[in-house]
Amino acid sequence: MIFFLWFESFIWFHQQKQPTMSEQKNKQLKIIFLSSEGAGHINACVGLAQELAKCGHEIYFFNKPSNIGQFEKLGFKEIILHENAVVDDTDKKQVKTDNKDDNDQGKLRETIIKSNLLADLSPYDQLDVFDRHKNKNFFGFAIINDIRKIHEQIQQSLSEQKPDLVIVDYILIPPCIAYGQIPWAYLCSHNPLHLFNSQLLPPITSGLPTDNRSGWADFYDKFRKTYQSSLQYCQNELNKHYQCPEVNKNQFLFLSPHFNIYGYPEQLDYTDIITLPENVVRLDGFCRQQSTTTTDDNDNKTFELPENIKTRLSDTVKLIYFSLGTFGSTNVTLMQKILNELAGCPHQIIVSTGQSHQQLSLSENMYGQSYLPQMSILPLVDLVITHGGNNTVTETMSYGKPMIVMPLFADQHDNAQRIMEKGFGYRINPHRFESNQLIQLIQQILLDKIMIERCTNAGDLIRKSNSKWKACTKIEKLLNNKKE
């Protein structure tokens, strides 16, 4: 059973700002974000933080020394957490870290590569990668170590800053937040199956259909024994270290008793099967906005199509965007296999090459860079080929583009299945597609007027839904209810 203390009162600031999107005069809240490393987590937190800032709230981000300025350049304040804790020798046997790379995202990337997550495994077999008994590189061990290094500073900062709310996008929750007196919310930047964990829905990370339960029972059984059990172990290791109670054995993620947040388009969501609890805040997607203040090249540049690509486009030659995400792009062999297949495609292709840029060979119908401003590219293209990361899926949906999803691991399988079920694209195994299969699928989608119209209409509805502002309003309401 999870024990927690409800807070006694909020700290309200004397200054009051008028929300830019609302006529309501809410008092300014101080909100601190704690995000996992990785572009998907950070972008989701930034997207929500931007909307909360528009509503007049004061936004802080916990940050590491290696990333100083990352959030400040977007207009947020930063609280720098220095990794100065020492891990006991007994813990080193269970907690594996790599100190060769000072960049935190580089460490996470290397952990994922070592863990075999990018290998050609079925979702069922991938559960072994999430089993701490079978995988010495299980990422939970590294997160335990990371949290222990900064836990004391987080606790001290919360005591000094006295925020009204802490929003956490971390697979493990620091005990000083989970059992503290300050209200907190879990931000789920994954497919919402992670948040729901309902027996009415397919198992998390399975990629199984919602309308056919064959395979559910076996997957659920293995999931509980591997991923769920391993995460519980890691959370309990943290809890015991800080003299906090163990977590509920039936839970997967450590959810907040206050409220929880997720982003997923209504057109894809599972609300046709389950009913959301009152303390769940849903929005169509976190979709971060381009900064209007920073001069940083990566974050603030618009995208101009290269002339050699632009001049080739026509009614029959379309524009495609291809990305396997931050981690998927590190699999050079797989990336090159897909690029070689796309070389025979009659259309023009923009390629997000990631950190493997120098190792990849692009054909004449392609343009690629290690970093591309995805939000500026999506409005320009006719089709997106993606790994199925939650941010890319929700952002692509918001611009009304059909997708071919090539899932690699975890919730990407669930997103791929849901997109296919709801008629917004197709899924294909990135490791095992046959020659010409991908190109045929591209042609099929580009000629499917019904699917294209369905995607366009969904994008129009999402952009008009104002769901981020509505989510912020609900967050304010939930906090006010707690105060009363």
Side-chain angles (χ1 to χ4, degrees):
M1 179 177 183
I2 300 175
F3 295 92
F4 57 87
L5 296 173
W6 296 102
F7 65 97
E8 297 178 354
S9 63
F10 286 113
I11 305 301
W12 298 99
F13 291 88
H14 66 279
Q15 291 183 339
Q16 179 172 296
K17 291 186 178 181
Q18 181 89 6
T20 57
M21 300 179 65
S22 171
E23 294 180 356
Q24 297 178 357
K25 294 183 178 179
N26 298 310
K27 289 187 177 180
Q28 185 188 61
L29 300 174
K30 178 185 281 190
I31 301 172
I32 300 180
F33 280 80
L34 175 64
S35 171
S36 301
E37 300 298 332
H41 301 286
I42 291 171
N43 289 338
C45 288
V46 166
L48 180 60
Q50 287 173 327
E51 194 67 26
L52 287 165
K54 285 181 184 178
C55 292
H57 303 305
E58 186 179 15
I59 307 299
Y60 289 73
F61 272 83
F62 284 120
N63 200 6
K64 302 284 186 68
S66 56
N67 297 320
I68 286 178
Q70 179 180 21
F71 302 108
E72 192 175 63
K73 69 189 178 186
L74 298 174
F76 308 126
K77 297 178 181 179
E78 294 183 345
I79 301 172
I80 305 302
L81 301 173
H82 297 275
E83 297 184 353
N84 56 6
V86 178
V87 179
D88 298 336
D89 289 338
T90 53
D91 295 312
K92 289 179 180 177
K93 295 177 183 178
Q94 295 175 329
V95 180
K96 307 294 182 180
T97 60
D98 187 347
N99 296 321
K100 294 179 181 179
D101 188 351
D102 289 333
N103 181 277
D104 295 298
Q105 189 160 311
K107 292 180 184 178
L108 181 58
R109 186 183 302 115
E110 189 164 343
T111 298
I112 286 180
I113 293 172
K114 285 181 178 179
S115 71
N116 219 28
L117 260 183
L118 299 178
D120 180 10
L121 298 172
S122 69
Y124 185 84
D125 290 334
Q126 278 183 348
L127 288 176
D128 292 333
V129 179
F130 296 109
D131 187 343
R132 66 183 178 89
H133 298 292
K134 297 179 180 179
N135 178 16
K136 66 178 182 179
N137 293 305
F138 177 57
F139 66 87
F141 296 149
I143 296 176
I144 291 174
N145 195 23
D146 288 343
I147 290 177
R148 288 189 58 186
K149 288 179 179 180
I150 59 178
H151 190 270
E152 184 178 344
Q153 293 177 72
I154 292 175
Q155 190 170 25
Q156 182 177 346
S157 295
L158 295 179
S159 177
E160 294 172 353
Q161 294 290 337
K162 296 179 172 59
D164 299 289
L165 175 66
V166 181
I167 298 178
V168 184
D169 182 2
Y170 240 84
I171 201 79
L172 302 178
I173 307 298
C176 65
I177 294 175
Y179 301 98
Q181 295 186 0
I182 298 170
W184 67 281
Y186 175 72
L187 185 150
C188 179
S189 57
H190 305 282
N191 176 288
L193 286 180
H194 283 69
L195 189 67
F196 302 148
N197 197 19
S198 168
Q199 297 297 306
L200 297 175
L201 297 171
I204 303 164
T205 77
S206 68
L208 293 172
T210 59
D211 59 355
N212 183 347
R213 289 178 172 251
S214 60
W216 282 27
D218 288 344
F219 201 100
Y220 263 121
D221 183 58
K222 186 174 182 179
F223 178 85
R224 294 188 189 101
K225 294 175 181 177
T226 54
Y227 199 1
Q228 181 169 311
S229 173
S230 294
L231 269 193
Q232 288 172 354
Y233 170 85
C234 290
Q235 184 67 58
N236 283 332
E237 284 296 291
L238 277 175
N239 289 2
K240 285 188 290 186
H241 184 78
Y242 295 103
Q243 299 180 332
C244 293
E246 292 191 357
V247 297
N248 189 321
K249 290 184 178 180
N250 294 321
Q251 75 177 38
F252 173 49
L253 296 177
F254 195 152
L255 301 182
S256 170
H258 305 282
F259 58 92
N260 301 284
I261 307 165
Y262 77 99
Y264 211 58
E266 186 176 356
Q267 294 80 1
L268 287 181
D269 209 349
Y270 301 91
T271 48
D272 57 338
I273 303 172
I274 63 167
T275 301
L276 297 182
E278 281 300 315
N279 70 336
V280 169
V281 178
R282 191 202 72 80
L283 53 158
D284 286 325
F286 295 106
C287 300
R288 79 272 190 203
Q289 301 299 310
Q290 224 176 353
S291 171
T292 58
T293 58
T294 179
T295 58
D296 183 271
D297 288 340
N298 284 345
D299 288 314
N300 199 37
K301 65 182 179 183
T302 56
F303 180 76
E304 291 285 340
L305 273 177
E307 281 300 318
N308 64 321
I309 296 288
K310 189 186 301 183
T311 55
R312 294 173 188 161
L313 298 177
S314 67
D315 290 341
T316 56
V317 179
K318 303 298 184 180
L319 187 62
I320 298 169
Y321 176 56
F322 167 55
S323 171
L324 286 187
T326 305
F327 301 124
S329 62
T330 62
N331 189 333
V332 177
T333 302
L334 181 62
M335 283 285 290
Q336 194 61 61
K337 173 191 174 182
I338 297 170
L339 291 174
N340 290 344
E341 176 74 8
L342 292 174
C345 179
H347 306 291
Q348 301 299 294
I349 302 166
I350 301 170
V351 182
S352 178
T353 56
Q355 297 299 310
S356 306
H357 181 71
Q358 299 298 329
Q359 300 170 262
L360 297 173
S361 175
L362 304 185
S363 63
E364 290 185 2
N365 66 334
M366 300 175 188
Y367 168 82
Q369 290 293 331
S370 58
Y371 174 86
L372 289 168
Q374 182 166 288
M375 292 297 287
S376 297
I377 292 173
L378 290 176
L380 308 177
V381 303
D382 300 286
L383 171 67
V384 174
I385 302 174
T386 171
H387 60 305
N390 217 56
N391 278 323
T392 298
V393 166
T394 57
E395 290 167 2
T396 301
M397 285 288 294
S398 74
Y399 284 108
K401 310 297 181 179
M403 286 173 270
I404 294 175
V405 187
M406 310 183 88
L408 299 171
F409 59 87
D411 66 326
Q412 297 167 17
H413 298 298
D414 302 322
N415 284 330
Q417 179 62 30
R418 197 60 174 163
I419 286 164
M420 188 169 71
E421 284 182 356
K422 290 295 187 177
F424 296 104
Y426 292 97
R427 66 182 295 181
I428 185 172
N429 189 315
H431 299 280
R432 303 188 182 189
F433 63 86
E434 298 177 359
S435 177
N436 210 40
Q437 183 183 1
L438 181 57
I439 292 176
Q440 289 177 354
L441 197 53
I442 289 171
Q443 292 295 89
Q444 179 181 335
I445 290 176
L446 292 176
L447 294 174
D448 191 338
K449 294 182 180 179
I450 295 176
M451 177 181 287
I452 291 172
E453 183 179 7
R454 183 184 300 119
C455 292
T456 300
N457 291 340
D460 290 341
L461 290 172
I462 291 169
R463 292 194 302 277
K464 294 174 182 177
S465 70
N466 214 12
S467 71
K468 283 201 290 186
W469 175 81
K470 292 175 182 176
C472 293
T473 300
K474 186 170 182 178
I475 289 171
E476 293 166 353
K477 180 180 178 181
L478 287 167
L479 281 174
N480 284 332
N481 289 344
K482 294 294 182 187
K483 181 184 177 184
E484 295 171 0

